[in-house]
Structures are given as structure tokens and as C-alpha cells.
Amino acid sequence: MERNRSEARGETKRSPLLQLSDAVNTVSEVVLFGMILAMIAVTTLQIVCRIFFDALIWSEELTTYLLVASSLLGAAVGFKRGSHIAVTFLVNKLPEAPRKAVSVFVQCLGVFFFAVVAYYGADLMKSEAMQTTPAMGISMTWIYVMYPVIGGIILLHLLAGFGDILGRR
């Protein structure tokens, strides 16, 4: 019954992978916004403390880690939106079949690259588990977890994007 209603309205059924990618992206955007707000708050607090009190020893370190994580998460959101940098002037001049082939090839390269990032990020996370951050004193595992997690998010977006490239959702 639900399928008949959506077909009558002209809606296409979205794959579960695409639905998961959309949901993860929504959460990613909220987390990204929170991380940017946290960077602004911590930096402002650091300025106030330097002027009126003693400087915070952990604020610069936290802001640096937040900046790296927000940059990676921003890249994941960019991949989902298709707003990452691309040189398309030659590809756009190709006929449809070669254009799809180039797009699939580029998508496969992205999958390979971010699979490597996720794998070696997990390896780095395990190998550096005994180290702690200098100022905050937390395990580097919590810092390096961003690489496999965000690599996995980008992989999800890239894999879900194959349906768009091939013309089926």
C-alpha cells in the first residue's frame, strides 16, 4: 500500500544504503556545528583567561584536535553533498557512457583512498593507545579514533554515491 502511494506521487524508492548515508550525514552536520561552536567557546575562554586570569594549559591542544576533526568531518559532509573540489571541464564534454565510466573510476579511487585512511587510522589508534596527550592527559586512542570513524563515514557516502552515478537510487 505504501509503495503504491509513493509510486503514484512519482517518488523513487531510496536504497537503505542511501538512507543510512543521509542519516549519518545529518548527524555529522550537527556534530560539526557543535565542534565549531566548541572551538569558538574554548578559544574565547582562553582569551578571557589570559587577560584576566592565568592561561588555560589545555585549551590550545583541545582546539587543535577539534580543528583537525572538524576539517575531516567537514570533508565527509562535502563528499555527501558533492561539493568537494573537482576538475570537471573535460569530463563534462564526454558522452554519457565515458562520463559515467570516469565517475565510477574516480569514485573507486576515493573508496580505495578512504579505506586506506580508515585502516591505517585504526592501526594508528591501536599502536598509540599507551600515549597520552601532553596537556589534557587523555589517551591518544580518543584522538586517533577520528581517522577510522570519519574514513568510514566518507566510505559510506562514496558507496551510496554509486547509485547516483549509475542512475539508480
Side-chain angles (χ1 to χ4, degrees), residues 3 6 9 11 19 33-34 38 41 55 64 67 78 108 117 121 128 140 144-145 159 163:
R3 183 177 176 180
S6 65
R9 290 184 293 221
E11 296 174 6
Q19 291 175 1
F33 182 73
T64 301
L67 178 64
C108 287
V117 168
E128 302 298 323
M140 287 303 289
Y144 291 133
V145 75
L159 292 173

Side-chain angles (χ1 to χ4, degrees), residues 3 5 11 18 26 52 54 78 89 100 102 108 111 118 122 129 136 139 145 163 165 168:
R3 183 177 176 180
R5 276 190 248 159
E11 296 174 6
L18 189 56
T26 300
F52 298 109
D54 289 332
F89 69 94
K100 278 188 179 183
V102 168
C108 287
V111 167
M136 295 185 296
S139 172
V145 75
I165 292 172
R168 55 187 146 85

Side-chain angles (χ1 to χ4, degrees), residues 22-95:
D22 291 344
V24 167
N25 188 62
T26 300
V27 172
S28 296
E29 289 176 351
V30 170
V31 170
L32 182 59
F33 182 73
M35 288 169 45
I36 291 171
L37 284 179
M39 281 191 292
I40 292 168
V42 169
T43 303
T44 303
L45 182 63
Q46 173 65 353
I47 291 168
V48 169
C49 287
R50 279 188 185 190
I51 292 171
F52 298 109
F53 310 106
D54 289 332
L56 301 173
I57 59 171
W58 51 268
S59 64
E60 189 174 336
E61 185 175 90
L62 178 59
T63 302
T64 301
Y65 294 139
L66 283 171
L67 178 64
V68 172
S70 65
S71 298
L72 291 171
L73 195 54
V77 170
F79 270 97
K80 175 63 181 170
R81 292 182 179 182
S83 59
H84 53 82
I85 190 167
V87 180
T88 59
F89 69 94
L90 287 177
V91 176
N92 290 342
K93 294 186 185 297
L94 293 173

Side-chain angles (χ1 to χ4, degrees), residues 91 97-111 158 161-168:
V91 176
R99 185 173 49 231
K100 278 188 179 183
V102 168
S103 295
V104 167
F105 176 71
V106 168
Q107 200 84 345
C108 287
L109 283 177
V111 167
L158 288 171
F162 277 112
D164 286 338
I165 292 172
L166 299 174
R168 55 187 146 85

